[in-house]
Amino acid sequence: MRPILMKGHERPLTFLKYNRDGDLLFSCAKDHNPTVWFADNGERLGTYRGHNGAVWCCDVSRDSSLLITGSADQSAKLWSVQTGSPLFTFNFESPTRSVDFSVGDKLAVITTDPFMGSSSAIHVKRIAQDPNDQDAESVLVLKGPQGRINRAVWGPLNRTIISAGEDSVIRIWDSETGKLLKESEKEIGHKKAITSLAKSIDGSHFLTGSLDKSAKLWDTRTLTLLKTYATERPVNAVTMSPLLDHVVLGGGQDASSVTTTDHRAGKFEAKFYDKILQEEIGGVKGHFGPINALAFNPDGRSFASGGEDGYVRLHHMDADYFNIKL
């Protein structure tokens, strides 16, 4: 499996997202410029210029017409995917960490970091059909969790919002009333900050990765813990194959301790696990530095990883991969 190396960012990668058709890949990095690539050959299509800070997260609408990005410059922006022009900017009083379009793209959930005495918050914004009608008002603002919320995504039918972050608790909120419906239990939940959260293709379960060197699989409606995948390093990024029962974890030690260790000891590879048996089935090496972002193509035939080294690596699976027998 020969990866395609995509060099378009000057700084570490933070997030990767495929569009629904799987032909475009969007990458976010600390260099202010989200970039879009062709997902089959890694050709760079263009960049979205306008942010003045690290871009932490992005999401693309179902018809691939709108892109939303969240940045450390205290704003979230809506872009035209096709032209690259910014359509609207949501301004906040603290850095924006996570963005997610609802099913149907009529709403977006945006999380903001704790900053200058204000706590972290989850904002729900209405997304107008016509960008000229877009306003900045929040339909709902949720506050509560201590520390940063690293990811917030929509639950089934947009009825709930699932959030997770530095306090290592996963919470499910009612997206209309803002009421807290469920919290993960301390005994079975993560022990350290949750870095990443990925939903399954049908939305019935989701995967969380944490600095406690594990990833956990949860039922979306009941928040029942289904599986735990243990690894020997902090997990920065997680994703699931839409085709096979495979879970991919990426991570590595902190960037601060990278230079002091041999690169082979840092174990900067994407690890594949069997979703059901919880056993490791393989790994894909290549990054020089921790993996910060992972995404599986919706067709299940390729995946992308983004690292602290500023590279996006695009892996098209060999035929053998689809016949792995355990």
Side-chain angles (χ1 to χ4, degrees):
M1 193 167 71
R2 293 195 56 130
I4 299 172
L5 249 74
M6 292 139 67
K7 180 73 176 139
H9 290 289
E10 310 283 312
R11 300 282 314 282
L13 268 285
T14 53
F15 199 77
L16 291 168
K17 178 79 185 182
Y18 281 94
N19 66 341
R20 191 163 167 270
D21 301 326
D23 60 342
L24 299 176
L25 174 64
F26 296 86
S27 59
C28 300
K30 294 185 181 173
D31 65 0
H32 313 183
N33 297 324
T35 301
V36 58
W37 317 77
F38 271 129
D40 60 343
N41 60 4
E43 185 187 334
R44 180 170 167 177
L45 277 169
T47 50
Y48 298 89
R49 295 183 187 277
H51 278 301
N52 301 320
V55 180
W56 292 120
C57 193
C58 70
D59 196 13
V60 57
S61 64
R62 199 182 168 92
D63 62 359
S64 305
S65 65
L66 282 182
L67 177 74
I68 185 169
T69 53
S71 165
D73 65 7
Q74 307 189 353
S75 76
K77 284 183 188 288
L78 283 172
W79 311 80
S80 158
V81 168
Q82 200 174 354
T83 63
S85 51
L87 303 173
F88 191 82
T89 302
F90 298 101
N91 288 307
F92 298 96
E93 282 164 10
S94 56
T96 314
R97 180 69 48 175
S98 167
V99 290
D100 194 48
F101 279 122
S102 64
V103 179
D105 303 323
K106 294 203 165 48
L107 298 166
V109 61
I110 302 171
T111 69
T112 52
D113 288 353
F115 187 68
M116 304 286 282
S118 60
S119 69
S120 57
I122 302 171
H123 308 259
V124 177
K125 302 283 189 188
R126 197 164 270 117
I127 303 296
Q129 299 273 200
D130 181 351
N132 300 325
D133 305 336
Q134 185 66 49
D135 60 31
E137 283 178 40
S138 295
V139 186
L140 182 69
V141 179
L142 303 173
K143 293 197 172 171
Q146 290 301 306
R148 202 166 73 206
I149 301 169
N150 284 327
R151 279 297 274 144
V153 298
W154 293 93
L157 301 174
N158 302 339
R159 287 189 182 149
T160 53
I161 293 170
I162 305 161
S163 71
E166 282 190 329
D167 62 359
S168 70
V169 180
I170 298 163
R171 294 180 174 81
I172 297 186
W173 312 80
D174 184 305
S175 62
E176 285 202 5
T177 61
K179 200 167 121 243
L180 181 61
L181 302 175
K182 292 190 177 71
E183 282 190 357
S184 58
E185 294 166 33
K186 284 269 191 287
E187 292 70 56
I188 60 165
H190 285 293
K191 303 292 179 271
K192 287 188 177 169
I194 295 171
T195 54
S196 47
L197 189 159
K199 287 190 292 192
S200 64
I201 192 103
D202 61 358
S204 64
H205 51 285
F206 65 93
L207 183 66
T208 52
S210 164
L211 298 180
D212 66 8
K213 304 185 180 171
S214 74
K216 290 177 186 285
L217 195 68
W218 307 83
D219 183 287
T220 305
R221 293 176 195 277
T222 61
L223 207 51
T224 314
L225 179 64
L226 305 173
K227 302 282 176 187
T228 299
Y229 310 94
T231 167
E232 64 280 0
R233 75 198 79 121
V235 178
N236 298 343
V238 293
T239 187
M240 279 182 275
S241 166
L243 206 56
L244 304 175
D245 285 326
H246 290 170
V247 165
V248 191
L249 313 182
Q253 78 268 59
D254 282 339
S256 56
S257 53
V258 168
T259 49
T260 56
T261 51
D262 179 45
H263 73 93
R264 289 188 296 277
K267 302 206 175 63
F268 306 124
E269 56 186 326
K271 291 252 179 173
F272 279 71
Y273 285 77
D274 185 285
K275 191 191 273 186
I276 315 300
L277 303 176
Q278 309 177 37
E279 287 173 12
E280 190 180 322
I281 47 182
V284 178
K285 294 187 172 64
H287 279 286
F288 187 77
I291 292 176
N292 296 339
L294 284 170
F296 234 105
N297 192 312
D299 67 5
R301 299 190 172 277
S302 60
F303 81 101
S305 57
E308 191 74 23
D309 54 7
Y311 281 94
V312 180
R313 297 175 77 93
L314 191 60
H315 308 266
H316 288 281
M317 301 300 191
D318 294 338
D320 312 353
Y321 165 76
F322 301 98
N323 309 319
I324 295 177
K325 295 281 181 284
L326 278 169

